[in-house]
Each structure stands twice: as structure tokens, then as C-alpha cells.
Amino acid sequence: MLLIKNGTIIDPSQSLEKKEDLLVRDGRVEAIDKSLDAEGAEIFDATDLIVAPGFIDLHVHLREPGYEYKETIASGARAAVAGGFTSVCCMPNTKPVNDNSSVTSFIIEQGRAAKLANVFPIGAITQGSKGEQLAEIGEMRSAGIVAISDDGKPVLDSGLMRRAMEYSRDFDLAVVDHCEDCCGAADWAMHEGEYSALMGLNGLPGAAEDLHVARDITFAELTGARVHIAHISTARSVDLVRRAKQKGLAVSCEVTPHHFALTDKDVYESSYSANFKMAPPLRSQSDLEAIIESLRDGTIDAIATDHAPHHANEKMLEFDRAPNGVIGLETAISLTLDRLVHRGVISLSRMVELLSTNPARIFKLDRGTLKVGVAADVTIFDPNKKIKVDASKFQSKSRNTPFDEWELKGAPVAAIVGGRVVWRNEKG
Ligand SMILES: [Zn+2]
Ligand SMILES: [Zn+2]
């Protein structure tokens, strides 16, 4: 038994925001009430802290099987809980690709063995994510995938994407797309604009994303599939999603912390640091402003990290040769609080919606709520604690973050999974 006392419980799934106690028994939420008492329960004092349904990251890369030198399922799950996430959904671009039930089962087993965050695998849309033939979607569904995606790459063949969306309905799975049409810029290194010109790097225009988002929304309407746009990054894309929602289409989208906190000017000022290189690239100031507005008005459904570990040696390559991706699990909560909550863009309750309630809804996970009887996944955080990011102390195996040494206000304090405190910031 675990009794979390004196915290402010915020649970948008039951319109709850009040100072009460939360009692967990046998791994499930037993009660939420004032001044609860339970003989023999372990007490967690949450005075001045926020107690929320466990945060769910819809988009991480755990690198196992195949690239264990970057991250393993266990090290990724450790980074997740140290960042306040109780569940992560991992993309299939491992080696081998998660395009069949044996890889799916392997990931689930490794996740269970780690006994940290829940690990929910996402299956590939196409075999080997090569974009040629559909993967064994039904078989992977039975083995436990929660969505399908070829993330890392877009599905360029429109006919194939249409069929994938039709199949997805039969299996009740969301289709997650990495929206990037080539636009004649296959070897891009950053966003196309004044800074790519100044830096002499090939640019990828925002239009590359916009075109693909428009196609996927068109297919969402045609097929009735649930379509989720990964890491949305441009002003026009969020506008397309806004209009799709007004039409009542089943379209949702996520944004990463780096896309709401950084722009292409930061790439320029980093002097070619590959820790500012990712797909989609950091966009313009006007794109960032449109992203912030879409977080405010509800167009963006979720914050997801696109946690993408790479070894230091890989990121040491010249900017245009270095691999895309940055890690994000251990900085997401602090960036969300500092950049969005404390700047008045969103409320704490909307933050919980973006990191828990909505992610659970989008992938239909039995999570994202503290209703009595559900699995007791709980994230506890301190909205006012000041921290300085120290990448050398990360639980992730990799260090490729653009946020090292940033001073931020707000931090995770504990992660509780199935009623067990799996991580707690001992420094208080
Ligand atoms: Zn992607
Ligand atoms: Zn990704």
C-alpha cells in the first residue's frame, strides 16, 4: 500500500484539481479523498507537489534490438522514469525492424524485465520500413503493438499508405506518420531559410512537411482511419490539423519540446553542433510561434519527446554527415513547465492533458487517468523547483541534447508504475 499525502491532484480525465490524498492498493488506485489514512501504508509526502496520472511518451527510440551501444530498452526505460514518464511507446526502426510479432514480443519481454516504465511497442507499417510491402500488422497487433509507423522515414507511396490506413481500421490502430516529402531536398541538413543560406547547408523547406500532412489528412477523410502526425513542426501543418479537427476528422498531432523551445537561429548560434540536428529540423521563429499558439488553443494533442539517442562519436561528425536526432526523456517535463506553464501559454491541467490524458486516448491505452480501479501509474512533479540540466548525469546511455546546462524552473520528483515507486529524486 502506498499513500500519497498532501499533493495537488490534477487529473483532467475526471476534471479533478484539488489538494487531496491518493491511496494505492495492490497496484491500483483505491481512493482519492481528503485526509486518508491507511494502517501500514508507505507514506509519500507530496506537499507543494503536483500528483498526476502517469506521463506517457508516444514517441521514443529505444534502439534495442540492434543498436544497444546507443540505448537499450532497460536504459531507455530508466531514462523515462528519471524524466517522470511511466510509459513510453517505442518506434520500430531497430535492427531488425519491429515488423513482425517475434520482435514485438522481444520488446515487450525486455520492457517487463526492466520493471521500470511500461514499454509499448509501435509496429512498422511496411516490411523493414522500406515502404514497399505492408508488414504483418494483424500478427503484431495480437502480440501487443499499440500503433503503426515507419517513423524515421515517411511512407512515400500514397497507394500503400491508403491501404495501410484501411487495414489500421480493422485492427483499431492509430497510424503515425513522419511527414517528410523530399521536395528535391533528399540530403538536407537543416530547415531551409536565411540561416541555412548563411551556414551553407542544404535546407529542407517547411513545405516538405505540409504536403505530406495534407495527403495524410486527405486519406484520413477517405478511409476513416485514425491518423496521428508525429513531431509536427510548421505553421501550415498545424493549420491543416486545426481545419481537419473542425471537420471532425480523426486526426491528432504531437510536438516535441525542441520544436517548441528552439529555432533554426539556435542551429546557427550553436556553431554547427550536431546536437541541434534532427528530423524534422528546428524551424523558423514564425513556425515556433504557430506551434506555441496551437499548444494554447488545443490543436496540438500531445507533447512527445522523439527521444533519439546517438553515440557521441556519431554526433562528432560534421554537421551535414551526423545522424538526425536528440534525446529528450530527461528534459521534457522541465522544458514544458519552464517554457509553457511559467510563460502563461498553458495551465498545469492542460500540461497533464498533453502528457497523459491525450496520449492515452490517442493510442487507446488503459492509462492516463487516476480513476478508482485503474493501474496506479503516477507522475509527481514540482512546478517550481529550479534545476540546471546536467547531461553527464542522465540515465540514458547517450548525451545528445541541445539543452545541456540550461537553467529551468520545474522538475519531475517521482515516477510510480503499477503502485511501485520506480524512481524518486532523492535530492528532494
Ligand atoms: Zn520521425
Ligand atoms: Zn522519431
Side-chain angles (χ1 to χ4, degrees):
M1 265 192 303
L2 175 69
L3 180 58
I4 303 167
K5 285 198 78 77
N6 306 318
T8 299
I9 300 178
I10 300 184
D11 180 5
S13 79
Q14 36 187 342
S15 307
L16 200 66
E17 181 160 357
K18 53 185 171 184
K19 213 167 174 173
E20 288 197 337
D21 299 341
L22 171 77
L23 179 65
V24 174
R25 191 194 297 265
D26 299 329
R28 308 215 155 249
V29 175
E30 166 113 343
I32 294 179
D33 215 331
K34 281 207 190 327
S35 312
L36 284 173
D37 251 322
E39 182 94 26
E42 176 192 344
I43 307 283
F44 190 116
D45 180 11
T47 306
D48 297 331
L49 304 177
I50 306 294
V51 177
F55 287 179
I56 302 163
D57 192 340
L58 292 179
H59 190 148
V60 302
H61 298 269
L62 297 184
R63 305 305 192 198
E64 186 183 0
Y67 305 97
E68 290 82 356
Y69 66 97
K70 298 176 196 250
E71 195 82 286
T72 62
I73 290 166
S75 69
R78 205 172 302 123
V81 295
F85 288 95
T86 58
S87 296
V88 289
C89 306
C90 58
M91 285 297 178
N93 61 339
T94 45
K95 195 168 76 183
V97 168
N98 181 18
D99 63 0
N100 64 77
S101 59
S102 62
V103 180
T104 304
S105 302
F106 169 80
I107 295 168
I108 290 172
E109 279 160 27
Q110 295 301 110
R112 285 199 184 130
K115 294 196 174 73
L116 293 161
N118 303 299
V119 176
F120 296 112
I122 297 169
I125 295 174
T126 65
Q127 291 173 27
S129 285
K130 288 189 180 134
E132 290 160 4
Q133 277 168 326
L134 289 182
E136 300 289 348
I137 297 169
E139 201 186 274
M140 288 190 290
R141 174 58 155 162
S142 307
I145 59 165
V146 295
I148 50 172
S149 180
D150 273 355
D151 183 62
K153 302 176 200 170
V155 177
L156 290 174
D157 181 334
S158 298
L160 198 58
M161 189 49 141
R162 176 187 169 178
R163 273 206 292 139
M165 286 196 195
E166 285 165 351
Y167 272 116
S168 76
R169 270 180 338 202
D170 300 342
F171 301 112
D172 195 22
L173 289 166
V175 180
V176 183
D177 205 8
H178 169 119
C179 292
E180 179 189 323
D181 236 302
C182 40
C183 281
D187 57 347
W188 61 270
M190 68 178 291
H191 175 65
E192 181 181 293
E194 59 174 305
Y195 293 105
S196 62
L198 272 170
M199 296 178 81
L201 291 169
N202 283 337
L204 178 75
E209 177 170 313
D210 308 336
L211 276 169
H212 212 81
V213 169
R215 183 201 72 173
D216 285 357
I217 289 173
T218 306
F219 279 159
E221 186 164 17
L222 179 69
T223 63
R226 291 192 285 127
V227 173
H228 180 69
I229 310 296
H231 42 53
I232 202 160
S233 71
T234 70
R236 195 181 296 253
S237 292
V238 283
D239 198 45
L240 288 164
V241 170
R242 185 176 292 115
R243 282 190 263 164
K245 288 183 165 193
Q246 282 161 2
K247 277 180 100 172
L249 303 181
V251 174
S252 56
C253 67
E254 68 190 28
V255 71
T256 69
H258 45 274
H259 286 109
F260 69 64
L262 299 168
T263 65
D264 57 349
K265 187 172 180 225
D266 294 292
V267 183
Y268 177 66
E269 289 175 351
S270 81
S271 311
Y272 298 89
S273 163
N275 287 340
F276 290 77
K277 188 183 180 197
M278 71 292 286
L282 296 173
R283 299 293 189 183
S284 69
Q285 182 62 28
S286 57
D287 288 314
L288 181 134
E289 282 161 16
I291 292 286
I292 297 278
E293 189 46 42
S294 306
L295 280 158
R296 193 196 307 271
D297 74 9
T299 301
I300 292 177
D301 301 90
I303 293 172
T305 66
D306 196 5
H307 179 82
H310 289 295
H311 193 272
N313 292 348
E314 297 167 305
K315 281 292 197 181
M316 290 278 281
L317 292 170
E318 292 120 83
F319 194 89
D320 52 350
R321 290 174 57 217
N324 285 320
V326 296
I327 54 174
L329 283 166
E330 292 170 80
T331 45
I333 287 187
S334 296
L335 286 161
T336 303
L337 284 162
D338 189 277
R339 294 293 150 136
L340 302 178
V341 175
H342 291 306
R343 292 187 180 184
V345 177
I346 58 170
S347 64
L348 282 170
S349 147
R350 169 89 173 119
M351 169 178 169
V352 175
E353 224 173 82
L354 286 159
L355 284 156
S356 183
T357 328
N358 289 348
R361 171 179 56 78
I362 292 165
F363 283 1
K364 298 201 172 177
L365 305 175
D366 190 11
R367 297 270 182 312
T369 175
L370 293 173
K371 285 186 179 145
V372 170
V374 302
D377 288 0
V378 185
T379 293
I380 300 179
F381 63 95
D382 182 345
N384 297 312
K385 182 179 171 171
K386 292 189 174 143
I387 60 139
K388 185 171 183 182
V389 177
D390 182 353
S392 72
K393 298 217 165 73
F394 281 167
Q395 297 298 318
S396 169
K397 273 194 168 185
S398 292
R399 300 283 175 264
N400 51 312
T401 173
F403 302 114
D404 197 19
E405 297 187 2
W406 276 39
E407 290 182 14
L408 298 167
K409 187 174 171 187
V413 171
I416 295 164
V417 178
R420 228 162 38 89
V421 182
V422 291
W423 174 80
R424 182 171 189 166
N425 185 351
E426 296 302 341
K427 283 171 288 180

